[in-house]
Amino acid sequence: MTDVLTENAPQTDAPAKQDGPSLSDFVSRAANGQAADGRRDLVGITREELTELMAGMGESKFRVKQLWNWIYNRGVTDIEDMTNISKKLRDRLAQDFYVGRPVLTADQKSTDDTHKWLMKFHDGNEAETVYIPDRNEDRGAVCISSQVGCTLTCKFCHTGTQLLVRNLTPGEIVSQFMVARDSYGEWPTPANGIRRLSNIVMMGMGEPLFNYENVRDALRIAMDGEGISISRRRITLSTSGVVPEIVRCGEDLGVGLAISLHAPDDDLRNEIMPINKKYPLKELMDACRNYPGMSNARPITMEYVMLKGVNDKPEHARALAKLVKGVHCKFNLIPFNKWPGSDYECTPTNDIKKFAQILLDNGYEAPIRWPRGRDILAACGQLKSESQRQRKSRVGSTGDAGGCGKSDAGNEGIVAAQ
Ligand code: SAH
Ligand code: SF4
């Protein structure tokens, strides 16, 4: 299995050292939220670390509260505007820190109001974020990317054809949500609790549990009452099934869990989702049964992409119902979204409905997740940025930026309002 999992592994080879700081030095610092001038982005620094940093400046915990309020509640992007902090301290802070935002390189709105942004980070890498407004209520989900590209190679997924470029930092994950809020002017956080950007789904590019620590730190900021302040009940993380991290995720975060299941047995799942060879269905179902959040009211969502003639027969539906026995779950049937070069076709709608009915007859809810934002290529599994992992030889010979890529372009999007 490891061959499948590592063939797309993150680039760790450092480019050849040069005299003085090289472009790659700049890139790796920038990718960690540090600007070329050495200042750090305040967005994404954990509460604990920021407390330590403030203590190092002789400041109390109260400063963290103030800073977080300006950053995550008021949306301020200039330290100078933090007016309840003395001018002297603002100047000192601005010497070491800044409040960052990724650069928007594309901004598209669908006829169904789904909104997609392509965001460029300091090193030129890009990832997509999508806002999916609820059709009936004044709220919606922001679908966030966790990696540029993906290490996995699920056969039906466009992102899986892109080599992993790198993990996104906590700041880059959180700031995708901040950019979306900028776009809707949702600052300060509405006091009456009604927020248009009300939910977060970790369903964008990448496998969030292969970037667990960064995703965890970002989601802690998202859930913190003095941070973005979104309840864990309004956050869903989707994973292809990284079993050990499912346990950690449940213990550390307790957010809603979605599993990309897509097949009822190991043979078929091995074929379409190589990660199954490492974490087969029995282990995956055990992890789901033990997921700490499972005992409360919120069921695990079993995502199931409908692939014509592959996983969509009535016997597949019946086998699924058996497989998930004892797991508090519901299904989410996702019509396959085609992308250039894919061999699969989507199951006809009538057959999807029959499939859903079998699951329902067996006691499992199985709504169909109709695609949103297709006209702007913002549907599930179509994401693919132009960022490409650079080959070692090229990096070495040019001294060019490790891991950065050409950035001229259109990703495609995602996702599902929960
Ligand atoms: N990597 C994570 C989250 C991102 S994918 C995961 O795999 O769960 C979000 C959802 O879209 C997953 O359920 C994924 O399997 C599904 N998906 C991928 N490609 C798709 C496609 N072409 N059509 C429909 N859904 C797709
Ligand atoms: Fe990666 Fe998820 Fe796509 Fe699989 S479905 S390749 S894990 S993004």
Side-chain angles (χ1 to χ4, degrees):
M1 175 60 225
T2 32
D3 53 341
V4 200
L5 283 176
T6 53
E7 68 185 9
N8 244 2
Q11 168 133 1
T12 51
D13 306 314
K17 274 274 170 211
Q18 302 168 348
D19 289 333
S22 66
L23 182 52
S24 58
D25 289 332
F26 160 70
V27 166
S28 59
R29 281 203 309 266
N32 285 311
Q34 192 167 12
D37 60 10
R39 289 182 308 146
R40 275 188 75 180
D41 190 352
L42 283 168
V43 177
I45 299 181
T46 62
R47 178 187 273 284
E48 293 74 22
E49 197 190 350
L50 194 55
T51 306
E52 271 174 36
L53 289 166
M54 288 303 109
M57 292 174 76
E59 296 295 327
S60 72
K61 270 187 183 174
F62 180 66
R63 291 291 174 218
V64 177
K65 199 179 163 81
Q66 275 183 319
L67 286 169
W68 273 35
N69 185 40
W70 284 113
I71 296 167
Y72 299 116
N73 180 33
R74 307 290 289 268
V76 157
T77 53
D78 188 345
I79 290 174
E80 189 53 30
D81 293 338
M82 302 179 178
T83 46
N84 60 359
I85 297 176
S86 73
K87 173 73 179 137
K88 198 169 155 215
L89 181 55
R90 272 182 275 160
D91 288 345
R92 268 178 69 209
L93 285 167
Q95 279 170 16
D96 292 338
F97 302 101
Y98 65 99
V99 182
R101 289 285 193 275
V103 175
L104 277 186
T105 48
D107 183 335
Q108 290 174 278
K109 214 162 183 186
S110 154
T111 50
D112 70 12
D113 286 336
T114 299
H115 198 152
K116 185 178 78 162
W117 301 269
L118 181 63
M119 304 197 189
K120 188 193 273 192
F121 304 107
H122 285 85
D123 60 356
N125 279 309
E126 294 179 316
E128 272 193 336
T129 308
V130 178
Y131 172 61
I132 310 107
D134 193 287
R135 283 200 177 96
N136 306 313
E137 287 176 60
D138 204 10
R139 63 186 185 100
V142 181
C143 176
I144 291 177
S145 294
S146 56
Q147 300 181 308
V148 179
C150 189
T151 41
L152 296 172
T153 52
C154 305
K155 280 201 180 151
F156 45 82
C157 178
H158 204 195
T159 313
T161 65
Q162 182 184 357
L163 294 175
L164 178 79
V165 179
R166 66 171 171 81
N167 286 332
L168 294 176
T169 63
E172 289 165 341
I173 295 167
V174 172
S175 61
Q176 292 174 61
F177 189 81
M178 316 273 279
V179 169
R181 281 188 81 175
D182 291 344
S183 178
Y184 287 88
E186 200 163 71
W187 304 112
T189 305
N192 57 8
I194 299 166
R195 290 160 70 157
R196 286 182 80 176
L197 282 66
S198 59
N199 291 44
I200 291 179
V201 290
M202 294 301 304
M203 293 187 184
M205 294 170 67
E207 168 47 61
L209 296 188
F210 275 159
N211 183 19
Y212 178 69
E213 275 84 9
N214 288 353
V215 168
R216 177 199 61 200
D217 289 352
L219 290 184
R220 279 187 172 150
I221 293 171
M223 294 191 297
D224 195 303
E226 287 174 1
I228 289 172
S229 190
I230 290 196
S231 148
R232 72 188 65 223
R233 291 191 304 281
R234 292 189 177 275
I235 299 178
T236 303
L237 181 145
S238 174
T239 176
S240 57
V242 188
V243 167
E245 312 302 352
I246 289 177
V247 179
R248 285 178 77 192
C249 176
E251 283 166 359
D252 293 348
L253 302 170
V255 294
L257 184 67
I259 301 284
S260 290
L261 191 57
H262 307 321
D265 61 73
D266 282 326
D267 284 349
L268 181 54
R269 199 161 189 270
N270 286 345
E271 196 186 311
I272 63 176
M273 296 187 73
I275 193 172
N276 194 70
K277 295 178 194 161
K278 189 162 174 76
Y279 304 115
L281 281 170
K282 184 178 174 324
E283 287 178 34
L284 181 57
M285 289 304 116
D286 284 347
C288 289
R289 270 182 211 101
N290 295 325
Y291 189 71
M294 208 194 76
S295 53
N296 66 30
R298 196 168 173 194
I300 293 174
T301 301
M302 297 292 175
E303 297 167 286
Y304 199 87
V305 62
M306 299 302 300
L307 304 169
K308 186 177 172 185
V310 177
N311 65 353
D312 62 348
K313 301 196 178 76
E315 58 263 34
H316 291 129
R318 285 190 285 271
L320 277 177
K322 268 196 196 140
L323 176 76
V324 301
K325 223 169 173 190
V327 181
H328 179 42
C329 69
K330 64 170 188 183
F331 285 86
N332 221 194
L333 303 182
I334 316 175
F336 171 65
N337 290 304
K338 221 171 156 47
W339 38 271
S342 67
D343 294 332
Y344 296 117
E345 296 291 333
C346 181
T347 304
T349 302
N350 267 345
D351 292 345
I352 299 181
K353 288 182 178 164
K354 282 183 201 155
F355 198 92
Q357 190 59 49
I358 296 172
L359 292 169
L360 201 60
D361 292 344
N362 280 276
Y364 296 98
E365 270 183 67
I368 299 165
R369 187 191 290 175
W370 296 110
R372 299 285 302 273
R374 261 194 176 161
D375 55 331
I376 55 164
L377 297 169
C380 277
Q382 291 184 306
L383 279 177
K384 188 185 178 198
S385 78
E386 294 295 313
S387 298
Q388 295 292 334
R389 184 171 66 140
Q390 219 154 12
R391 307 233 170 267
K392 189 184 175 193
S393 54
R394 217 183 132 215
V395 172
S397 64
T398 61
D400 206 345
C404 86
K406 60 190 177 104
S407 317
D408 53 340
N411 278 359
E412 295 106 67
I414 331 167
V415 137
Q418 298 295 300

